[in-house]
Amino acid sequence: MKKTVIKGADVLGRGRSDLLIADGRLVETGRLDIADAEVVDADGLVALPGLVDLHTHLRQPGYEESETVLSGSQAAAKGGYTAVCAMANSTPVADSPAVVEQVADLGRRAGYVDVQPIGAVSQGLEGRRLAEMGEMAQSQARVRMFSDDGKCVNDPLLMRRALEYAASVDGLIAQHAEESRLTEGSQMHEGAVSARLGMVGWPEVAETSIIARDVLLAEYLDARVHFCHVSTRRSAEIIAAAKKRGVAVTAEVCPHHLILTDHAAQGYDPVFKVNPPLRENDDVEALRSALADGTIDAVATDHAPHSAENKDCEWNAARPGMLGLETALSIAVEALGGPEDVDWNLVAERTSRTPARIAGLRAHGHDFDIGAEANLTLVDPGGRWTVYGNELSSLSTNTPYAGMELPVTVNATFLRGNATVRNGQLTEAMGEN
């Protein structure tokens, strides 16, 4: 029986403890001296439940020049993740059992994180007819989240049917909230900066109008709706009011919406082009507060790798999106108070426990429960690192943080007791290859 003892970790920032892992599960905590176990020195490190990402673009099948399930899984492990939810906008679209099972199988073969496919809401992401939601739920991939992310489910009747269908399989709809008629031709946030630069703006009402509509639909149908990459103060206010009424609504925020503003577009560097766009400082402050008080449930990366061909071009031609998996924890810690003042329990809630519950990933997000799968992350709270795109594990380099020094480093990541990252470096994973 393989045994590993993690010695002297600060477990969730609550106190030092040893953690004994045997056959992939946590079996004992406390002060331990196990003669036949591998020892991992965790002195000075914080142990967190493995991070869970609700919003990852792995680009396979179809865009393997930008990312593969393997390279994306490696980037996730380096970022402290033990599970990621893979968005459906691949080619072919993940709108059938065959494609979601392919993605899940590629994840198992890679072996660095658990890859949970998200199924499309509509066939081909075209917003006309429902995808094979029931079949995907019954498939070996056991899909429970459905999303047309990148495109909004604009048709209210289709959204109603999707919410009803998802509820019937104990699932939920993850909505990319964007009223497309209001964003036609848009290139960035609509405000003073877009006016000065002469770019067509993406108004916040395009997001808030869809969120308000879908809150009412979810309330009427007693269904679950999750809002992807919430980006505005007003969106957070609508979600807070919905939660106060007891509507089954959850929401995520992306790291870049917690730290960057539309002023980043002033240099016309397309690395800062995202959808929804970077907003104003007032929105950033509101989103940070909403994340801290639980109005926004989770940090999700919207990890969106793009090849140089699609990103190293003029702003108008560039595709929206940026990398996020390896930098998300650092940005989340910064947004929640900085490494010296951060509440690690709150970090665990927003990056692991709650996203695991939303996605229905029962093997993840545990607080070191005896008998649970040993999916965990060791973090150096005093570590600092400088971001270089070509040193990240993704096949793409479109990070907005290039050259920046960020707080907190991931020392180790364990998936079912096996180290996928050790001393900050990838190990050979235990996939099914």
Side-chain angles (χ1 to χ4, degrees), residues 68-86:
T68 64
V69 173
L70 173 60
S71 64
S73 296
Q74 291 173 328
K78 287 281 295 290
Y81 288 89
T82 55
V84 300
C85 299

Side-chain angles (χ1 to χ4, degrees), residues 72-400:
S73 296
Q74 291 173 328
K78 287 281 295 290
Y81 288 89
T82 55
V84 300
C85 299
M87 274 297 174
N89 56 346
S90 53
T91 300
V93 171
D95 58 2
S96 68
V99 180
V100 295
E101 288 181 352
Q102 178 190 5
V103 173
D105 183 61
L106 288 168
R108 283 190 293 271
R109 291 176 181 276
Y112 283 91
V113 294
D114 284 343
V115 174
Q116 175 58 55
I118 295 174
V121 172
S122 67
Q123 296 178 25
L125 306 179
E126 294 178 345
R128 296 176 182 173
R129 295 179 296 276
L130 286 181
E132 299 173 24
M133 294 172 62
E135 289 82 355
M136 287 189 281
Q138 295 299 319
S139 73
Q140 295 182 11
R142 297 183 55 76
V143 174
R144 290 295 179 273
M145 290 182 68
F146 302 91
S147 180
D148 277 1
D149 182 60
K151 295 182 179 179
C152 179
V153 182
N154 270 302
D155 183 333
L157 181 58
L158 190 76
M159 186 62 176
R160 172 181 179 162
R161 299 301 181 223
L163 287 167
E164 291 172 331
Y165 220 111
S168 72
V169 297
D170 192 27
L172 78 163
I173 301 299
Q175 175 69 294
H176 171 106
E178 177 185 354
E179 171 46 68
S180 56
R181 289 298 304 275
L182 294 173
T183 61
E184 289 179 358
S186 65
Q187 292 292 322
M188 64 172 296
H189 169 67
E190 181 177 274
V193 176
S194 67
R196 189 163 60 249
L197 297 178
M199 291 194 196
V200 177
W202 200 121
E204 69 164 25
V205 70
E207 178 174 299
T208 54
S209 59
I210 293 294
I211 289 178
R213 183 202 74 178
D214 289 350
V215 162
L216 294 174
L217 275 172
E219 186 172 26
Y220 180 70
L221 300 169
D222 193 22
R224 296 169 62 199
V225 63
H226 175 80
F227 293 110
C228 301
H229 40 49
V230 169
S231 70
T232 77
R233 168 186 288 277
R234 185 65 180 136
S235 296
E237 291 172 351
I238 295 169
I239 291 165
K243 288 188 169 184
K244 194 173 182 179
R245 294 202 309 276
V247 183
V249 53
T250 54
E252 67 187 40
V253 64
C254 296
H256 46 270
H257 288 125
L258 294 170
I259 195 171
L260 301 172
T261 71
D262 58 345
H263 284 262
Q266 294 182 121
Y268 297 97
D269 184 344
V271 78
F272 296 105
K273 183 176 179 180
V274 284
N275 183 19
L278 301 175
R279 301 294 186 179
E280 300 178 10
N281 192 58
D282 182 57
D283 297 298
V284 170
E285 294 301 322
L287 293 170
R288 287 188 173 204
S289 296
L291 181 66
D293 70 20
T295 298
I296 292 178
D297 303 84
V299 174
T301 69
D302 194 6
H303 177 79
H306 286 299
S307 66
E309 179 183 6
N310 291 317
K311 204 63 175 174
D312 295 345
C313 51
E314 65 179 32
W315 181 285
N316 287 359
R319 293 190 180 177
M322 54 181 61
L323 303 183
L325 285 169
E326 292 177 69
T327 51
L329 179 61
S330 295
I331 304 300
V333 168
E334 190 68 44
L336 290 171
E340 294 182 356
D341 298 321
V342 73
D343 178 347
W344 287 105
N345 190 54
L346 182 60
V347 172
E349 188 67 32
R350 300 288 180 264
T351 62
S352 179
R353 296 190 203 107
T354 302
R357 283 197 296 272
I358 291 171
L361 298 175
R362 296 178 181 176
H364 297 269
H366 292 289
D367 277 355
F368 306 100
D369 301 331
I370 300 300
E373 290 188 1
N375 301 317
L376 61 97
T377 301
L378 299 178
V379 175
D380 182 352
R384 299 192 70 85
W385 63 297
T386 301
V387 182
Y388 296 105
N390 59 3
E391 294 182 1
L392 299 176
S393 293
S394 174
L395 295 183
S396 298
T397 60
N398 54 307
T399 174

